[in-house]
Amino acid sequence: MDLQSLNGKKACEVYTTLTSHRRSYLERAQEASRLTVPSLFPVDGDTSVSELANNFNSVGSEVVSALTAKIVLALFPPGQPFFRLSLTPEARALAEKTKRLSPDEADSAANMLDNKLAEAELEVMRDFERLVPRGELHALIEHLVVGGSACLWLPDDDKASVVPLHSYVAHRSGDDYGLVIVRSHVARAKLPPGIAASAPPANQVVMDGGDGPHEMTLMPDDKSEVEVFTVQARNGPNNYVVWQELSDGRQVGIRRIVRPEKRPLMPQTFKRLPREHYGRSLAENYLGDLAAVASYSKSLAAMAAIMARLIVMVDPTGLTQATDVEKCPNAGVISGRDDDVSLLQTEKQRDMAGVKAVLDDTVARLRGAFLSNFATRRQGERVTAEEIRLLANELETAHAGAYSMLSASLQRPLVMRVIERLKRTSPVLAAVTQVAEPQIVTGLEALGRLAEITRIQQWAQVVSSMFGPEIMQTIADPLAMSARVASALGVSTLGIHKTKTQIQREAQQRQQAAMQSQALEAGIKGAAPAAGKAFVESQTGAAAPQGQ
């Protein structure tokens, strides 16, 4: 489905039509949300004052939060860029011409290029943290883990925000989304004056639950908001048309034709199945365990409440009076026999122990599936690069498809979108991006790069063991190997690596210093005998007159 298939229909009509395809995914997301994080996908009719579901446990929320934090940390590690700007193939071919320059000129050109790339990277990362808040990234991944689908919206004039599944529809063809429509409520004051006065109020919301769509009338105060539909439709292989409409079909603003890297709407999925327009979540695979944990926890809580009751029984035929027991204060004295008084006991401890064992097994299974192993997690405010690498490897092993998909569908499109926004106000970035493109250095890409470092280390060890360290030092270029390792680790060598001219100059200086040191030592050794002989003769000449 693309721009041609709309056939002049209103955006609200197409949106309502596509909600039927979304209904089953939304219902599954609501069920998973009820068992994990109820506030993510409220059921139909819920408002801000509605009471959320009570599962008598927090295991679902715990495992979802743990996996969400791990994915965000692996994809977007704090304090370090998740991408590097590298030369495009065309610019790299042009850079080969610098070999015709003198060594000093080539090194100067390389240093200047590195400075510009580093400056552009810092500028992009600084604005990336501003335009894409980390809280929105966390909310996006959390929606994907629980609901399977969510959309990241980065408009031209605002920060990024997450569009939940119940607020957008999408149609996917192949590996791309040909149509995405987002329904949002906009304050009437933000609309152009000519449209704001006559725009229909957002007084009805179409819900998807139950046997079919139904309407929920909002409060009169909500009429200050207007329902706006943002449409992103594919128009050809490399173009997309983006515009906004009111519920009555009137267009707000102008239609814009954008390239793929400039798309403001970026739908994401956790796990994608063929011929499906929305994704599947991880929580959906474990609905049985999540429901079992909720049921067992509720049963244990009810049984614990029963066992917590203290009921005293008094033998009516005994000497002890029930009224005396009831009115006796703490440490008081009454007359009677202890055999007349007993406590009512449920004697269900053994049954509860069995339920508790099954509950513990189910919780352990869930924590393993969601990588929520608190016993092996290091507690600290900072984590090392090695820990991030191990975390990425763990995610790729446990959730290979989802992690790979997020690396490809989220990281690169997002940084490309941020760069396109910043190019309008940054001449330096606009110039640099003409010859450079972002290269992801975290996530799945980082695993391949770290594997390259391992292969380099293995190669060096094999060559050294076969031919000896001397041969290894003869055939290997330390500067080139260091550059390869730094590139694989995502480390800029700006200000770290010496140029070949500097290395040659320092080697010449060391050689000259060694030659001077050798000459000085030879001079000292040659002058020592003559000086000693002169000293002896002077001492002998001085002693002769005394002997006479």
Side-chain angles (χ1 to χ4, degrees), residues 24 328 422 457:
S24 60
C328 182
L422 299 178
Q457 291 174 339

Tab-separated table of all heavy atoms in Angstrom, residues 24 328 422 457:
chain	number	residue	atom	x	y	z
A	24	SER	N	-5.964	-7.549	16.309
A	24	SER	CA	-5.448	-8.747	16.984
A	24	SER	C	-4.102	-8.479	17.634
A	24	SER	O	-3.823	-8.975	18.739
A	24	SER	CB	-5.341	-9.902	15.986
A	24	SER	OG	-4.463	-9.557	14.912
A	328	CYS	N	-8.585	-10.728	78.473
A	328	CYS	CA	-7.312	-10.731	79.205
A	328	CYS	C	-6.284	-9.899	78.478
A	328	CYS	O	-6.032	-10.099	77.283
A	328	CYS	CB	-6.828	-12.171	79.370
A	328	CYS	SG	-5.275	-12.277	80.307
A	422	LEU	N	20.214	18.412	11.166
A	422	LEU	CA	21.259	19.347	11.580
A	422	LEU	C	21.967	19.990	10.400
A	422	LEU	O	22.569	21.050	10.554
A	422	LEU	CB	22.288	18.617	12.450
A	422	LEU	CG	21.755	18.016	13.757
A	422	LEU	CD1	22.858	17.289	14.494
A	422	LEU	CD2	21.167	19.105	14.639
A	457	GLN	N	44.532	-10.866	16.334
A	457	GLN	CA	45.348	-11.404	17.413
A	457	GLN	C	45.753	-12.851	17.135
A	457	GLN	O	46.909	-13.244	17.358
A	457	GLN	CB	44.576	-11.317	18.731
A	457	GLN	CG	44.364	-9.895	19.238
A	457	GLN	CD	43.480	-9.847	20.463
A	457	GLN	OE1	42.715	-10.770	20.723
A	457	GLN	NE2	43.601	-8.768	21.228
